[in-house]
Amino acid sequence: PTWGFLLLLLACWLPYLFIVWPGTVSNDSITQLAEIFGVKALETGNPLTQTGLLWLAVQAGQGLFGSADAAVALYVCVQAALMAWLLGYTLKRISETRAPRWLVWLATAFYAVCPIFPLFAFCVGKDTVFAMAVLWFTLMVWRVIGSKWPPLRTMVGLCLSAAACALLRNAGAALAGVTLVALLVR
């Protein structure tokens, strides 16, 4: 079902991609692009990990297509696919609970038609990537809490998502640390 939700969400979000093609770039990411292109000195005002992800997209976009617009399009398309997968997995987890079917479909419709989700997905910015890391971390915590002895893949996912939170925002380290300590105490 995760793949089904993912494909449904991406299909519903596609018109937004056409409207904002090749994607939008936040003010922070404009600064990051200036740093990547050497117009500005590299600073720590933006997470260096996210700047590195943007650098990879620029290298791929310019290397494969010779265009900065292609870099933005590549970045937002990968980001949107990951966001749709995370939201699809969230819907799958909700459907596995005793939630009524109408609630799962209502949540699916909300993710599919509310413009905030695709506009966020098709925007290059540190907030989008961090929000996805927090959602991934939340889903992993949910899996850990829901099982007496979590499997190794869940624990690896928990650690990787906590690391992503810590690397993508200074406050993410505190969020991940406090949550992991609470899980250990539990």
Side-chain angles (χ1 to χ4, degrees):
T2 301
W3 290 102
F5 287 126
L6 175 142
L7 293 173
L8 175 67
L9 293 176
L10 287 177
C12 291
W13 294 354
L14 202 52
Y16 290 94
L17 179 59
F18 289 122
I19 291 169
V20 300
W21 183 261
T24 59
V25 180
S26 71
N27 288 340
D28 288 335
S29 292
I30 290 171
T31 301
Q32 289 173 300
L33 287 169
E35 293 170 353
I36 290 168
F37 287 114
V39 176
K40 286 185 80 169
L42 188 63
E43 299 173 357
T44 59
N46 292 303
L48 292 178
T49 304
Q50 203 267 334
T51 303
L53 293 173
L54 189 53
W55 178 84
L56 285 173
V58 166
Q59 297 307 307
Q62 288 192 316
L64 295 172
F65 305 105
S67 163
D69 283 349
V72 170
L74 177 66
Y75 186 95
V76 298
C77 286
V78 169
Q79 179 174 268
L82 288 172
M83 182 182 285
W85 183 84
L86 283 166
L87 293 173
Y89 184 68
T90 301
L91 293 166
K92 176 186 173 239
R93 293 284 297 165
I94 293 170
S95 69
E96 291 171 346
T97 67
R98 293 184 180 161
R101 287 262 181 238
W102 65 264
L103 184 59
V104 175
W105 288 112
L106 182 64
T108 304
F110 180 68
Y111 291 150
V113 300
C114 180
I116 295 298
F117 295 100
L119 291 175
F120 206 47
F122 296 125
C123 178
V124 177
K126 63 185 178 187
D127 295 331
T128 305
V129 179
F130 181 66
M132 292 185 338
V134 170
L135 178 56
W136 181 29
F137 185 56
T138 303
L139 290 166
M140 292 297 99
V141 168
W142 186 6
R143 285 184 66 169
V144 167
I145 290 172
S147 90
K148 186 172 181 167
W149 297 104
L152 179 61
R153 67 187 172 117
T154 299
M155 297 310 292
V156 169
L158 178 70
C159 293
L160 289 175
S161 61
C165 287
L167 290 171
L168 292 168
R169 201 47 82 71
N170 292 338
L175 167 78
V178 167
T179 306
L180 292 175
V181 167
L183 282 175
L184 286 173
V185 169
R186 180 184 171 270

